Every structure is written in C-alpha cells, then in structure tokens.
Amino acid sequence: MNFGTIKKYDIADGPGVRVSLFVSGCRHHCKGCFNAETWSFDYGRPFTADTENEILEALAPDYIQGFTALGGEPFEPENQPVVAALMRKIRERYPRKDIWCYTGYLYDVDLIPDGCVFTDVTREMLSYIDVLVDGEFIEAEKDISLQFRGSRNQRIIHLNVYGTV
C-alpha cells in the first residue's frame, strides 16, 4: 500500500488533535474531491515498518486524541490488510485513543458480507473503528457548515465506545 501523507497535528478529520494517514488508491473519483491526487494507487510512498513506527510514535503524546484513516480510500480491498494491521497496533498500544475512518463506501451496503469491498479483514478493521464517516462526497450536497464531513449525504456512524468520542 502507498500513502500520500501523514498529518501529525490534524484538527479537521475528527475531534481534538489527531494523527491522520492519507492512504493512496480510490475508485470513487468523486467530482470535487479535495484530495484527487490520492486516487492513484501509485501515488505517494510505500507504507513500511518505518511509516508504521512514525505513526505510533506520533500518537504517544497525551494531547493527541486519536487516529484517522482517510485518503484515498482505506476500504479499497488492496488497502484493508495494511490499514487493519495498523489499527490493531494502535488499539493495542493506545486503547484509550479513538480511531476514525472516512470511506466513500456505505457501511450497511458495501462493508457487509457480500458487499462490493468486503474482504477477510473487513470485520477486523471495523472492530477497531470508533467512528466511521461513510458515503461518497457529492458536490451538489456540499455543505461547509457540517462538522467532520463534506456533503449532507455522508453519515457519522458510531461503531465502538473506545476513546472519548
């Protein structure tokens, strides 16, 4: 898996100060996407053990509330194994920090058994996520007054009760 960037002090993609990973690869190609360069699976740099350690170290300070995965698309089947493994390590090391994830896929349609991106690690990945923001960005429904989402169709779904969400 490749990634575009790591933001170590993100305040836009979930509550508090967060560490955010922007993965590469997205098949949605939403019109008006703020991060279209991450559509290519080849964009950015390879995710390595050093990348993982950088994220885990960045999460250490008490003022960091949690971790956010976005992109690109964390739930592309090619990305799920790496993202799930990273979330597992975050949950083990920092059980009180929350984990958010943004996806253009729909939780109750695409991420269920027989859903278009359901894999052998989808359930595991979902088990680590406290808050999932789902749904494609729809430019016609763009609303800059919304907190933590870009268009009115997107949902904020509370999956777990970890952290301080």
Side-chain angles (χ1 to χ4, degrees):
M1 179 184 87
N2 281 0
F3 71 100
T5 191
I6 298 167
K7 289 187 178 179
K8 295 182 181 176
Y9 308 101
D10 188 357
I11 58 169
D13 299 307
V17 180
R18 318 186 63 72
V19 175
S20 294
L21 172 67
F22 291 77
V23 303
S24 296
C26 183
R27 293 184 174 90
H28 299 292
H29 298 187
C30 301
K31 182 180 177 185
C33 175
F34 81 102
N35 211 10
E37 62 272 9
T38 64
W39 293 353
S40 170
F41 285 87
D42 296 324
Y43 177 76
R45 298 174 285 156
F47 189 93
T48 65
D50 288 340
T51 310
E52 181 178 276
N53 289 332
E54 179 181 352
I55 291 168
L56 292 171
E57 288 175 21
L59 285 162
D62 289 341
Y63 62 83
I64 300 292
Q65 181 168 332
F67 172 77
T68 300
L70 63 169
E73 174 58 68
F75 276 98
E76 291 296 3
E78 298 90 333
N79 293 339
Q80 287 187 44
V82 175
V83 175
L86 173 62
M87 288 179 175
R88 179 183 326 113
K89 290 180 181 176
I90 292 169
R91 182 63 73 214
E92 288 169 356
R93 188 176 294 185
Y94 303 108
R96 295 180 129 342
K97 303 220 183 222
D98 60 17
I99 296 176
W100 280 51
C101 186
Y102 285 76
T103 181
Y105 293 107
L106 296 175
Y107 172 67
D108 49 356
V109 175
D110 304 314
L111 303 179
I112 61 172
D114 296 323
C116 67
V117 291
F118 188 85
T119 73
D120 60 341
V121 296
T122 304
R123 274 194 187 103
E124 178 188 6
M125 194 167 150
L126 288 168
S127 77
Y128 302 129
I129 297 169
D130 299 301
V131 177
L132 181 72
V133 181
D134 82 341
E136 291 185 356
F137 172 76
I138 298 176
E139 194 170 43
E141 295 196 35
K142 181 178 179 177
D143 184 344
I144 61 170
S145 72
L146 297 171
Q147 189 175 36
F148 306 131
R149 45 195 183 121
S151 58
R152 288 184 297 279
N153 64 294
Q154 293 173 313
R155 303 180 295 180
I156 297 175
I157 303 170
H158 294 262
L159 299 179
N160 294 310
V161 293
Y162 293 99
T164 58
V165 178

